[in-house]
Amino acid sequence: MKAAAGQHQRRWRPGLRTRITVTFALLALTLSVLLSCFVWLMVSNYLISQRESTALRQTQVNILALERALQSRPGQTARVLGDLPHNPSTTILLYRFGDWYSSALEASPDRLPTELVDLVLDGTAATQRLIIDGDPYLAVGQPMGGDAYFELFSLAELDGDLRVLSLALPVGAAATTLVGAAAGRIATHRALAPLKSVNQAAAAIAQGDRSARLHANGDPDLTMLADSFNQTAAALERRVEADARFTADVAHELRTPLTTMLNSLELLLRQKRQLPARAHEPLELLETDLRRFERMVKDLLEMSRAEDGTDNVVLEPVTIGELVTRAADRAAGRPVTFVSPGAEELQLTVDKRRLEQVISNLVRNAESHGRGLVRVAVEPATDGVRIFVDDQGPGIEKERRERIFERFARGPGTETEGAGLGLAIVARHLSLHGGTVSVVDRPGGGARFVVDLRAAP
């Protein structure tokens, strides 16, 4: 059983609304991630290329200025280099006539990559990004005659901008995902709103309102669904009405021959002593079957009246304990009723005939299908009365406890016992009183039918 329960749990699937919401969220996440990656590549490449272009232009300007200054002031390379205007975040290094010169005292040619220096000294301009003391720099090298000019540009500001961008894009992706999930939730609420109408219409039909229909409200996408639903509901209504007419016709047709047979039976019973002994047993069997046939015809007539709307309810105040005791003891043929002291004087406004039939049907059901009636108990409830009908049978499986109150529902081993209308009539009569009937396990074994009747407000 535990394994089956585990399999059932593993087969759980989220609802349609949840699945659509998750789909929207995943779609938004996927698009936002792709867009973030695209934006990161485009922006980062653009910023880096712009910084390199700016560095190259500035380097060209500085080289021209340096060459003019060296022509006018030969032999003063270090002073000329120090006087050369440059950004505080940049450092200039000059290799001239075998010596190194720098615009800053802390700058050292050792910080330049050997490959870059060799490439520029060979007459090729080059750039390279590098890390100096943990900070990013862009090194630009330009040949200058037989000399080599190098300038180091700090990329710390650009690196900070890229870090901010790298944080902003995931935050934007997360926000987009949340917005997508919210949009999915709203979209599913609107898209699935028609299902609420379908559910309400189906529930109304299940509760007996066969006139319930589905309206498309001018929505062309729902017209086909509404038409199919309404056609199905109309076909079901016609089928139920036809079944009800058939039931009523059969019941009425059986009344006349049944009355004749019952009158003949009464005549035979009055003359039983005059009949030979071998005819007594067949007569008893005939009486049993005719009484059962009589109850079946009465049940059919009761159900037909319920279907055609002629089952008027006649309410009157009664002492509920006395009514239940009378109906239960008569149906069982022996005293079987216990009335709690708190319910002895309790009065309710009910239809006497219907409530007596409810008790009688439950008692006969316990006697026929529950291996014998144990007792009928009447107890007060918070807003009315509660009636228990206990039997000593094997009980009723949980999956069948709802179906046994349907018409023509019969349990295993009851193929020849009645037409399966007794409990359906019980549920019908109680619903007319605003009451309910249910089945639970009786303490000690067996089934317990529980009838709840509320006092009229």
Side-chain angles (χ1 to χ4, degrees):
M1 294 296 291
K2 292 183 178 179
Q7 291 177 359
H8 178 72
Q9 291 178 354
R10 287 194 295 270
R11 291 172 184 170
W12 176 86
R13 292 185 61 194
L16 179 59
R17 180 170 297 178
T18 302
R19 296 201 301 272
I20 294 178
T21 301
V22 171
T23 301
F24 267 82
L26 291 177
L27 180 61
L29 177 61
T30 302
L31 292 177
S32 59
V33 168
L34 293 176
L35 182 61
S36 297
C37 294
F38 176 77
V39 170
W40 167 260
L41 292 175
M42 292 292 294
V43 173
S44 61
N45 289 334
Y46 174 78
L47 292 177
I48 292 173
S49 63
Q50 286 294 103
R51 188 71 179 94
E52 290 180 350
S53 299
T54 302
L56 290 173
R57 286 195 299 270
Q58 185 175 341
T59 300
Q60 294 293 337
V61 171
N62 289 342
I63 288 175
L64 292 175
L66 179 61
E67 289 177 340
R68 286 195 297 268
L70 289 176
Q71 290 176 359
S72 62
R73 300 163 60 184
Q76 302 181 23
T77 303
R79 181 174 295 180
V80 169
L81 193 62
D83 293 340
L84 192 68
H86 62 277
N87 194 299
S89 62
T90 65
T91 302
I92 299 174
L93 293 168
L94 177 64
Y95 181 79
R96 183 175 174 80
F97 303 137
D99 294 323
W100 283 96
Y101 300 91
S102 173
S103 63
L105 295 177
E106 66 277 6
S108 171
D110 296 337
R111 297 186 174 185
L112 294 174
T114 304
E115 298 83 359
L116 177 65
V117 174
D118 294 341
L119 193 63
V120 176
L121 289 176
D122 289 341
T124 303
T127 62
Q128 184 175 345
R129 276 176 280 182
L130 61 154
I131 302 296
I132 301 176
D133 296 333
D135 295 325
Y137 282 86
L138 174 66
V140 179
Q142 291 280 357
M144 196 175 68
D147 305 327
Y149 178 91
F150 299 91
E151 192 162 352
L152 297 175
F153 295 89
S154 174
L155 298 179
E157 183 178 356
L158 176 62
D159 189 59
D161 293 340
L162 292 178
R163 280 199 300 270
V164 172
L165 181 63
S166 66
L167 293 175
L169 289 177
V171 172
T176 303
T177 302
L178 294 177
V179 172
R185 197 69 179 177
I186 295 173
T188 54
H189 178 74
R190 293 188 176 182
L192 299 180
L195 293 182
K196 184 177 181 181
S197 301
V198 175
N199 184 48
Q200 291 174 345
I205 292 176
Q207 293 173 1
D209 182 10
R210 296 188 299 273
S211 62
R213 294 294 184 271
L214 187 62
H215 302 286
N217 296 324
D219 190 336
D221 295 326
L222 295 179
T223 301
M224 184 177 296
L225 174 62
D227 292 343
S228 299
F229 182 91
N230 293 338
Q231 290 174 5
T232 302
L236 176 63
E237 184 177 18
R238 291 192 298 269
R239 176 63 180 271
V240 172
E241 290 176 351
D243 291 345
R245 286 194 299 269
F246 175 76
T247 301
D249 292 343
V250 169
H252 284 288
E253 290 295 329
L254 290 176
R255 289 182 64 182
T256 301
L258 177 62
T259 302
T260 302
M261 287 187 288
L262 288 174
N263 291 335
S264 300
L265 176 64
E266 292 296 333
L267 179 60
L268 290 174
L269 290 175
R270 285 196 297 267
Q271 299 178 359
K272 184 176 181 180
R273 294 181 179 179
Q274 302 175 14
L275 296 175
R278 64 178 180 273
H280 289 181
E281 183 178 359
L283 181 60
E284 292 173 359
L285 294 175
L286 178 62
E287 181 183 13
T288 301
D289 287 339
L290 278 179
R291 297 302 180 192
R292 184 183 302 160
F293 187 37
E294 180 185 20
R295 287 196 301 270
M296 184 183 68
V297 172
K298 287 182 178 179
D299 289 345
L300 288 173
L301 288 172
E302 194 74 40
M303 292 304 297
S304 67
R305 285 195 293 267
E307 294 294 341
D308 60 21
T310 60
D311 53 345
N312 297 323
V313 180
V314 180
L315 299 176
E316 56 182 306
V318 298
T319 303
I320 198 68
E322 295 179 356
L323 185 148
V324 173
T325 300
R326 182 171 60 252
D329 293 353
R330 182 173 64 244
R334 63 186 188 280
V336 293
T337 309
F338 168 77
V339 180
S340 173
E344 290 179 348
E345 303 299 327
L346 182 62
Q347 288 195 340
L348 294 180
T349 303
V350 299
D351 186 316
K352 289 176 59 177
R353 182 187 68 83
R354 295 180 186 278
L355 188 55
E356 287 179 351
Q357 188 172 12
V358 166
I359 303 302
S360 299
N361 285 3
L362 290 176
V363 169
R364 283 197 293 267
N365 180 77
E367 291 283 281
S368 300
H369 310 306
R371 298 180 183 174
L373 177 70
V374 175
R375 74 164 187 169
V376 177
V378 182
E379 296 183 1
T382 304
D383 55 353
V385 68
R386 176 166 285 186
I387 304 169
F388 301 101
V389 180
D390 296 342
D391 65 40
Q392 52 189 348
I396 299 175
E397 299 86 349
K398 291 184 179 180
E399 59 271 15
R400 293 187 54 243
R401 291 180 181 178
E402 293 291 336
R403 296 201 302 268
I404 61 174
F405 295 103
E406 298 175 357
R407 291 183 300 170
F408 308 111
R410 293 184 294 181
T414 59
E415 289 80 357
T416 60
E417 296 291 334
L421 294 173
L423 294 181
I425 292 174
V426 168
R428 171 71 181 182
H429 286 350
L430 288 175
S431 67
L432 294 175
H433 286 83
T436 60
V437 59
S438 59
V439 186
V440 297
D441 292 326
R442 181 177 71 89
R448 167 173 287 178
F449 285 78
V450 182
V451 173
D452 285 299
L453 279 174
R454 292 180 295 175

